[in-house]
Amino acid sequence: MPELPDVEGFRRLVAANATGRRIDSVVVADSGVLEPGLDADRFARAVRGRRPGPALRHGKWLLLPLGDSSSAHGVPCLLVHFGMTGGFVWCTGHADGHRHDRILLGFESGSELRYRDMRKLTGVRMAEADSEVDELLNALGPDAAEVSAAEFAARLRGTGSGIKAALLDQSVVAGLGNLCVDEALWRARTHPRRKSRELTATELGELHRAMGSVLRSSVREGRVPERRGWLNGIRNERSRRCPRCSAVLCRAATAGRTTVWCPSCQPE
């Protein structure tokens, strides 16, 4: 599933290739990725001829303004969520199509920005008023890469759920997914089922630092890396041992997601 580091990579891809370039053609190969009520013809009419402004990211959402600076968010604005399997691909020349390419935006250079998604779980919205963008952003917590330690602690203490469930809740902190959360909890030596409000100030501070470190390294690579010394580097191995203490790792469903943790480093 694309998490904050992946979406930041997509934002940089768009920024480097599409910003300020005119969209000459729009092909909606599968309207199933468009929000309910937004048909392919209406989408194409709104997008064709536009020049994207600087792409923005908040949590796992990418915002692509297509209007001018007279509105707060450059409406019309595309609001893109990549669900479980989505992503942007930049194709130059006459690159072969892919069966999971759902939307193709053709630019004046002949290149294309393609929205590619196998499972089509979320997709693309179009905001035609600033209030529609605000409605989305107001439903999200602060961006995980930017939230201060104080706000991070306050928001987690305000939940009654386990710490993993709280970190996955996009209304608490936006951008974290299963891999980032497990990695940060392992680094902070925090059990995924501990109650958020029971963590001490010291523990919350350590978790905030661990989260920041995971995100900074992952953003550089555009994904959560399967790196030696990382929990994510061994989480899918048949014989999983903690990179820190060599204890056999636990694997179970927590907060509805497959969770990996070290019973020695992360006692309950």
Side-chain angles (χ1 to χ4, degrees), residues 200-247:
T200 67
T202 299
E203 289 172 322
L204 288 168
E206 183 58 35
L207 181 55
H208 181 265
R209 285 189 291 274
M211 177 187 71
S213 177
V214 170
L215 290 176
R216 285 189 296 273
S217 294
S218 299
V219 162
R220 285 195 291 268
E221 298 200 22
R223 62 186 179 89
V224 185
E226 297 178 0
R227 186 181 296 172
R228 182 181 178 86
W230 284 47
L231 183 72
N232 197 49
I234 48 82
R235 67 178 292 136
N236 293 318
E237 291 183 1
R238 183 169 299 178
S239 177
R240 295 179 296 273
R241 290 189 174 273
C242 176
R244 186 164 46 212
C245 74
S246 298

Coordinates of all heavy atoms in Angstrom, one line a residue, residues 200-247:
T200 N 4.0 7.2 28.4 CA 4.5 8.3 29.1 C 5.0 9.3 28.1 O 5.1 9.1 26.9 CB 5.7 7.9 30.0 OG1 6.8 7.4 29.1 CG2 5.3 6.7 30.9
A201 N 5.3 10.5 28.6 CA 5.8 11.6 27.8 C 7.1 11.2 27.1 O 7.4 11.5 26.0 CB 6.0 12.9 28.6
T202 N 7.9 10.5 27.9 CA 9.2 10.0 27.3 C 9.0 9.0 26.2 O 9.7 9.1 25.2 CB 10.1 9.4 28.5 OG1 10.3 10.3 29.4 CG2 11.4 8.8 27.9
E203 N 8.1 8.1 26.4 CA 7.8 7.1 25.4 C 7.2 7.7 24.1 O 7.5 7.3 23.0 CB 6.8 6.0 26.0 CG 7.5 5.1 27.0 CD 6.5 4.2 27.7 OE1 5.3 4.7 27.9 OE2 6.8 3.1 27.9
L204 N 6.3 8.7 24.3 CA 5.7 9.4 23.1 C 6.8 10.2 22.4 O 6.8 10.2 21.2 CB 4.6 10.3 23.6 CG 3.3 9.5 24.0 CD1 2.3 10.5 24.7 CD2 2.6 8.9 22.8
G205 N 7.7 10.8 23.2 CA 8.8 11.5 22.5 C 9.7 10.6 21.7 O 10.1 10.9 20.6
E206 N 10.0 9.4 22.2 CA 10.8 8.5 21.5 C 10.1 8.0 20.3 O 10.7 7.8 19.2 CB 11.2 7.3 22.5 CG 12.1 6.3 21.8 CD 13.4 6.9 21.3 OE1 13.9 7.8 22.0 OE2 13.9 6.4 20.3
L207 N 8.8 7.7 20.4 CA 8.0 7.3 19.2 C 8.0 8.3 18.2 O 8.1 8.0 17.0 CB 6.6 6.9 19.7 CG 5.7 6.4 18.6 CD1 6.3 5.2 17.9 CD2 4.3 6.0 19.2
H208 N 7.9 9.6 18.5 CA 7.9 10.7 17.6 C 9.2 10.8 16.8 O 9.3 10.9 15.6 CB 7.6 12.0 18.3 CG 7.5 13.2 17.3 ND1 8.6 14.0 17.1 CD2 6.6 13.7 16.5 CE1 8.3 15.0 16.2 NE2 7.1 14.8 15.9
R209 N 10.3 10.6 17.6 CA 11.6 10.6 17.0 C 11.8 9.4 16.0 O 12.4 9.5 14.9 CB 12.7 10.6 18.0 CG 12.9 11.9 18.7 CD 14.1 11.9 19.6 NE 14.0 11.1 20.8 CZ 13.4 11.4 21.9 NH1 12.9 12.7 22.1 NH2 13.3 10.6 22.9
A210 N 11.3 8.2 16.5 CA 11.4 7.1 15.6 C 10.6 7.2 14.3 O 11.1 6.9 13.2 CB 11.0 5.8 16.4
M211 N 9.4 7.7 14.4 CA 8.6 8.0 13.3 C 9.3 8.9 12.3 O 9.3 8.7 11.1 CB 7.3 8.5 13.7 CG 6.3 8.9 12.5 SD 4.8 9.7 13.1 CE 5.5 11.3 13.5
G212 N 9.8 10.0 12.8 CA 10.5 11.0 12.0 C 11.7 10.4 11.2 O 11.9 10.6 10.1
S213 N 12.5 9.6 12.0 CA 13.6 8.9 11.3 C 13.2 8.0 10.2 O 13.8 7.9 9.1 CB 14.4 8.2 12.4 OG 15.5 7.5 11.8
V214 N 12.2 7.2 10.5 CA 11.7 6.2 9.5 C 11.2 7.0 8.2 O 11.5 6.6 7.1 CB 10.5 5.4 10.0 CG1 9.9 4.6 8.9 CG2 11.1 4.4 11.1
L215 N 10.5 8.1 8.4 CA 9.9 8.8 7.3 C 11.0 9.5 6.5 O 11.0 9.5 5.3 CB 8.9 9.8 7.8 CG 7.6 9.2 8.3 CD1 6.7 10.3 8.9 CD2 6.9 8.5 7.2
R216 N 12.0 10.1 7.2 CA 13.0 10.8 6.5 C 13.8 9.8 5.6 O 14.1 10.1 4.4 CB 14.0 11.5 7.4 CG 13.4 12.8 8.0 CD 14.5 13.5 8.8 NE 14.9 12.8 10.0 CZ 14.4 12.8 11.2 NH1 13.3 13.5 11.4 NH2 14.9 12.1 12.2
S217 N 14.2 8.7 6.1 CA 14.9 7.7 5.3 C 14.1 7.1 4.2 O 14.6 6.9 3.1 CB 15.4 6.6 6.2 OG 16.4 7.0 7.2
S218 N 12.8 6.9 4.5 CA 11.9 6.3 3.5 C 11.6 7.3 2.3 O 11.5 6.9 1.2 CB 10.6 5.8 4.1 OG 10.9 4.8 5.1
V219 N 11.4 8.5 2.7 CA 11.1 9.5 1.7 C 12.3 9.6 0.7 O 12.1 9.8 -0.5 CB 10.8 10.9 2.3 CG1 11.0 12.1 1.3 CG2 9.4 10.9 2.9
R220 N 13.5 9.5 1.1 CA 14.6 9.6 0.2 C 14.6 8.5 -0.8 O 15.0 8.6 -1.9 CB 15.9 9.5 1.0 CG 16.3 10.8 1.7 CD 17.7 10.8 2.2 NE 18.0 9.8 3.3 CZ 17.9 10.1 4.6 NH1 17.6 11.3 4.9 NH2 18.1 9.2 5.5
E221 N 14.0 7.3 -0.4 CA 13.9 6.2 -1.4 C 12.6 6.0 -2.1 O 12.4 5.2 -2.9 CB 14.3 4.9 -0.6 CG 15.7 4.9 0.0 CD 16.2 3.5 0.3 OE1 15.6 2.5 -0.3 OE2 17.1 3.4 1.1
G222 N 11.6 6.9 -1.6 CA 10.3 6.8 -2.3 C 9.5 5.6 -1.8 O 8.5 5.3 -2.4
R223 N 9.9 4.9 -0.7 CA 9.2 3.8 -0.2 C 9.8 3.4 1.1 O 10.9 3.9 1.5 CB 9.3 2.6 -1.2 CG 10.7 2.1 -1.4 CD 10.8 1.0 -2.4 NE 12.2 0.6 -2.6 CZ 12.8 -0.4 -1.9 NH1 12.1 -1.0 -1.0 NH2 14.0 -0.7 -2.1
V224 N 9.1 2.5 1.9 CA 9.8 2.0 3.1 C 10.7 0.9 2.7 O 10.3 -0.1 2.2 CB 8.7 1.5 4.1 CG1 9.4 1.0 5.4 CG2 7.6 2.5 4.3
P225 N 12.0 1.1 2.8 CA 13.0 0.2 2.3 C 13.1 -1.1 3.0 O 12.9 -1.2 4.2 CB 14.3 1.0 2.4 CG 14.1 1.9 3.5 CD 12.7 2.3 3.5
E226 N 13.4 -2.2 2.3 CA 13.7 -3.5 2.9 C 15.2 -3.5 3.2 O 15.9 -4.2 2.5 CB 13.2 -4.6 2.0 CG 11.7 -4.6 1.8 CD 11.2 -5.7 0.9 OE1 12.1 -6.5 0.4 OE2 10.0 -5.8 0.6
R227 N 15.6 -2.8 4.2 CA 17.0 -2.5 4.4 C 17.6 -3.4 5.5 O 16.8 -3.7 6.5 CB 17.2 -1.1 4.7 CG 18.7 -0.6 4.8 CD 18.8 0.9 5.1 NE 18.2 1.7 4.1 CZ 18.0 3.0 4.2 NH1 18.3 3.6 5.4 NH2 17.5 3.7 3.2
R228 N 18.8 -3.8 5.4 CA 19.4 -4.6 6.5 C 19.4 -3.7 7.8 O 19.7 -2.6 7.8 CB 20.9 -4.9 6.1 CG 21.6 -5.7 7.1 CD 23.1 -6.0 6.6 NE 23.9 -6.7 7.6 CZ 23.9 -8.0 7.7 NH1 23.2 -8.8 6.9 NH2 24.6 -8.6 8.6
G229 N 19.0 -4.3 8.9 CA 19.0 -3.6 10.2 C 17.6 -3.0 10.4 O 17.4 -2.5 11.5
W230 N 16.7 -3.1 9.4 CA 15.3 -2.6 9.6 C 14.4 -3.8 9.9 O 14.6 -4.9 9.3 CB 14.9 -1.9 8.3 CG 15.4 -0.5 8.1 CD1 16.7 -0.1 8.3 CD2 14.7 0.7 7.7 NE1 16.8 1.2 8.0 CE2 15.6 1.7 7.6 CE3 13.3 0.9 7.5 CZ2 15.2 3.0 7.3 CZ3 13.0 2.2 7.1 CH2 13.9 3.2 7.0
L231 N 13.4 -3.5 10.6 CA 12.3 -4.6 10.8 C 11.7 -4.9 9.4 O 11.5 -6.1 9.1 CB 11.2 -4.1 11.7 CG 10.1 -5.0 12.1 CD1 10.6 -6.1 13.0 CD2 8.9 -4.3 12.7
N232 N 11.5 -3.9 8.6 CA 10.9 -4.1 7.3 C 11.8 -5.0 6.4 O 11.4 -5.6 5.4 CB 10.6 -2.8 6.6 CG 9.7 -3.0 5.5 OD1 8.6 -3.6 5.6 ND2 10.0 -2.4 4.3
G233 N 13.1 -5.1 6.7 CA 14.0 -5.9 5.9 C 13.8 -7.4 6.1 O 14.3 -8.2 5.3
I234 N 13.2 -7.8 7.2 CA 13.1 -9.2 7.5 C 11.6 -9.6 7.8 O 11.4 -10.8 8.1 CB 14.0 -9.6 8.7 CG1 13.9 -8.7 9.9 CG2 15.4 -9.7 8.2 CD1 12.8 -8.9 10.8
R235 N 10.7 -8.7 7.8 CA 9.3 -9.0 8.2 C 8.7 -10.1 7.4 O 7.8 -10.8 7.9 CB 8.4 -7.7 8.2 CG 8.1 -7.1 6.9 CD 7.2 -5.9 7.0 NE 5.9 -6.3 7.5 CZ 5.2 -5.7 8.4 NH1 5.6 -4.6 9.0 NH2 3.9 -6.1 8.7
N236 N 9.1 -10.3 6.2 CA 8.5 -11.3 5.3 C 9.3 -12.6 5.2 O 8.9 -13.5 4.4 CB 8.2 -10.7 3.9 CG 7.1 -9.6 4.0 OD1 6.1 -9.8 4.7 ND2 7.3 -8.5 3.3
E237 N 10.4 -12.6 5.9 CA 11.2 -13.9 5.9 C 10.5 -15.0 6.6 O 9.8 -14.8 7.6 CB 12.6 -13.6 6.5 CG 13.4 -12.7 5.6 CD 14.8 -12.5 6.2 OE1 15.1 -13.1 7.3 OE2 15.6 -11.7 5.6
R238 N 10.8 -16.2 6.2 CA 10.2 -17.4 6.8 C 10.7 -17.5 8.3 O 9.9 -17.8 9.2 CB 10.5 -18.6 6.0 CG 9.9 -19.9 6.6 CD 10.0 -21.0 5.6 NE 9.4 -20.8 4.3 CZ 9.4 -21.6 3.3 NH1 10.1 -22.7 3.4 NH2 8.8 -21.3 2.2
S239 N 11.9 -17.3 8.5 CA 12.5 -17.4 9.9 C 12.8 -15.9 10.3 O 13.9 -15.4 10.0 CB 13.7 -18.3 9.9 OG 14.3 -18.2 11.2
R240 N 11.9 -15.3 11.0 CA 12.0 -13.9 11.3 C 12.6 -13.7 12.7 O 12.1 -14.1 13.7 CB 10.6 -13.2 11.3 CG 10.0 -13.2 9.9 CD 8.6 -12.5 10.0 NE 7.7 -13.2 10.8 CZ 6.9 -14.2 10.4 NH1 7.0 -14.6 9.1 NH2 6.1 -14.8 11.2
R241 N 13.8 -13.1 12.7 CA 14.5 -12.8 14.0 C 14.7 -11.3 14.1 O 15.1 -10.6 13.1 CB 15.7 -13.6 14.1 CG 15.5 -15.1 14.4 CD 16.7 -15.8 14.7 NE 16.4 -17.2 15.1 CZ 16.0 -17.6 16.3 NH1 16.0 -16.8 17.3 NH2 15.8 -18.9 16.5
C242 N 14.6 -10.7 15.3 CA 14.8 -9.3 15.5 C 16.2 -8.9 15.1 O 17.2 -9.4 15.5 CB 14.5 -9.0 17.0 SG 14.8 -7.3 17.4
P243 N 16.3 -7.8 14.2 CA 17.6 -7.3 13.8 C 18.4 -6.7 15.0 O 19.6 -6.6 14.9 CB 17.3 -6.2 12.8 CG 15.9 -6.5 12.4 CD 15.2 -7.1 13.6
R244 N 17.7 -6.5 16.1 CA 18.4 -5.9 17.3 C 18.8 -6.9 18.3 O 20.0 -6.8 18.8 CB 17.5 -4.8 17.9 CG 18.1 -4.0 19.0 CD 17.2 -2.8 19.3 NE 15.8 -3.1 19.4 CZ 14.8 -2.3 19.0 NH1 15.1 -1.1 18.5 NH2 13.5 -2.6 19.1
C245 N 18.0 -7.9 18.6 CA 18.3 -8.8 19.7 C 18.2 -10.3 19.3 O 18.5 -11.1 20.1 CB 17.3 -8.6 20.9 SG 15.7 -9.2 20.6
S246 N 17.8 -10.5 18.1 CA 17.8 -11.9 17.5 C 16.6 -12.8 18.0 O 16.6 -13.9 17.7 CB 19.1 -12.6 17.7 OG 20.1 -12.0 17.0
A247 N 15.7 -12.2 18.8 CA 14.6 -13.0 19.3 C 13.7 -13.3 18.1 O 13.6 -12.5 17.1 CB 13.8 -12.2 20.4

